[in-house]
Amino acid sequence: MDSLSTDGEETLSSLTDAQEEVMSICMVISGLLSMFGSTTIVYRVLKKKKDKKPFDRIMLGLSTFDIIGSFSFVLTPFALPAATSPRVWAAGNDASCSFLGYLSQLSIGAAWYSCLLSFYFLATLRLRVSNDDFAVRFEPYIHGLSIFYFLFTATIGVPFHLYRETELGLGCWVTNRVPLDCTRNLDCIGHIVAWFYGGLCLFFTMVALPLNYFFTYCFVRQTLKILARHNPIQAMQVRKLGVQGTLYVLAFFISYGPQLIIRIFAIAYSYERSAEPGIYWLLVLNSICYPLQGFLNMFVYSRPNFLKLREAGMPLFQALRAACFQNDIPKAMEQRTLRVRSSKHYDSSEEITKFLSNVERRASAVSIKKPVRHYEESSLGFLPEVIEVVPNDEESTAEE
């Protein structure tokens, strides 16, 4: 057990050096992977030849904030103040901890953009807002206000000395010691500041994400029944969009789930460093998952192209590499157009036939009670261009 004295208080760490090193190594590796994944998304969005859609710009904002957050995770084990921190690799000072808190506040923007992504899917799928309308009516506000809020709160926290080493886990952010001369648990307002800085945003995101995608899923399920008999290819597209949104939700909760539980322990049950041995497995899981959102998003973002390449018969690992790092999918296939065809790896015709048979069987059971409606092709323009189905005689260069 290590102990250090700071401001008349004793800071304890009940973890062994080996346990501390495992936490630090996991955080650094996950942070580097997340930086790599988010940088890949930023590069692909900026290199897109076609006009960028709201989805692309939301992913650009999400990935940019995630790069900042991932960089802070890589620095965390080394930037903690050596004079007061019991962490085994701490080599920084108060200034480096304040800088780390600044980056940590900016990183919350990635979580907020995940929430905005869910509202985008809800608006374009459930409410039928077109991409053009979304870009004009909502985008200037959501990007402008989001960027201003996180830049303002992160910057204002530095001169007011809001950032200190967290009392549970690795990191520097807003702690309960605000103001610095407050008496512990009496005059301190740090928890109120923390709720304003990130708590309300994360809480709203945790609630909005599952609700938005639940409403979207219900609409997609109903739309599939209508589209299947009229346009099976479009029905497949809508189903892929529903799966795509669900995967973004899973990526978010995998990343932020352990961190949420740790913050609940710290705020509701007053957990501090002396309690870390009892939740060490949770701290290690948090060090692995919390910085990993960008890496997970890279795979979800690349999934539509990966499916196209597999449908075209490309081998698994080659398709995965091309989907993650290539913008021009036809060029990656070394042919002018990318067409869906049967192969030993994937037979799309079998999937469509199976899908249609299931839908027709369900539709026949309720056909007496409820008539089947049909959509005209022109009425499907509200669909977000995240996954694009192109006829065989046209060139397919859709990124998502």
Side-chain angles (χ1 to χ4, degrees), residues 174-361:
V174 180
T175 66
N176 195 38
R177 296 293 302 277
V178 178
L180 293 177
D181 58 350
C182 70
T183 304
R184 193 174 186 84
N185 296 328
L186 293 178
D187 304 323
C188 300
I189 60 171
H191 287 161
I192 299 176
V193 177
W195 271 103
F196 174 75
Y197 262 53
L200 291 176
C201 170
L202 292 175
F203 178 78
F204 180 79
T205 299
M206 290 285 183
V207 174
L209 271 178
L211 286 179
N212 286 345
Y213 282 113
F214 173 75
F215 293 140
T216 303
Y217 168 79
C218 292
F219 173 77
V220 168
R221 185 181 178 87
Q222 181 65 26
T223 304
L224 285 175
K225 298 177 181 179
I226 300 173
L227 287 177
R229 299 173 65 88
H230 171 69
N231 191 334
I233 299 298
Q234 191 71 62
M236 295 293 294
Q237 178 189 15
V238 174
R239 186 173 68 170
K240 289 179 180 180
L241 284 169
V243 174
Q244 191 78 356
T246 303
L247 291 177
Y248 279 116
V249 175
L250 291 178
F252 176 85
F253 278 99
I254 289 174
S255 299
Y256 285 88
Q259 177 67 199
L260 175 65
I261 298 174
I262 290 175
R263 290 308 113 200
I264 291 176
F265 284 158
I267 295 175
Y269 301 102
S270 301
Y271 271 46
E272 296 183 351
R273 291 198 182 102
S274 58
E276 286 183 343
I279 59 170
Y280 176 68
W281 63 271
L282 183 60
L283 295 174
V284 173
L285 186 63
N286 179 66
S287 295
I288 296 172
C289 296
Y290 191 33
L292 208 58
Q293 185 182 17
F295 190 65
L296 298 176
N297 284 342
M298 180 187 71
F299 289 106
V300 180
Y301 186 77
S302 304
R303 177 177 171 271
N305 277 344
F306 173 77
L307 294 178
K308 293 176 185 177
L309 294 169
R310 289 291 289 160
E311 289 169 2
M314 182 176 283
L316 175 63
F317 292 106
Q318 186 180 354
L320 182 61
R321 182 178 60 185
C324 290
F325 306 113
Q326 291 285 341
N327 266 338
D328 194 344
I329 298 303
K331 183 178 179 180
M333 293 292 299
E334 298 181 351
Q335 61 185 36
R336 182 177 181 275
T337 59
L338 176 65
R339 305 176 187 276
V340 177
R341 66 175 184 269
S342 300
S343 70
K344 63 180 181 180
H345 300 283
Y346 183 86
D347 190 345
S348 58
S349 61
E350 290 183 4
E351 180 176 347
I352 294 177
T353 302
K354 181 179 178 181
F355 172 74
L356 288 175
S357 63
N358 292 335
V359 172
E360 289 175 356
R361 186 175 64 252

Side-chain angles (χ1 to χ4, degrees), residues 38 41-42 45 53-65 113 117 121 143 248 297-298 300-301 400:
S38 292
I41 294 176
V42 170
V45 171
K53 302 300 186 292
F55 171 79
D56 299 309
R57 291 185 285 271
I58 292 176
M59 289 302 301
L60 180 63
L62 191 160
S63 300
T64 301
F65 277 112
Y113 265 89
L117 187 65
F121 277 104
H143 290 298
Y248 279 116
N297 284 342
M298 180 187 71
V300 180
Y301 186 77
E400 303 298 332

Side-chain angles (χ1 to χ4, degrees), residues 7 32 88 100 135 168 353 355 398:
D7 299 333
L32 290 173
V88 64
L100 200 62
L168 188 64
T353 302
F355 172 74

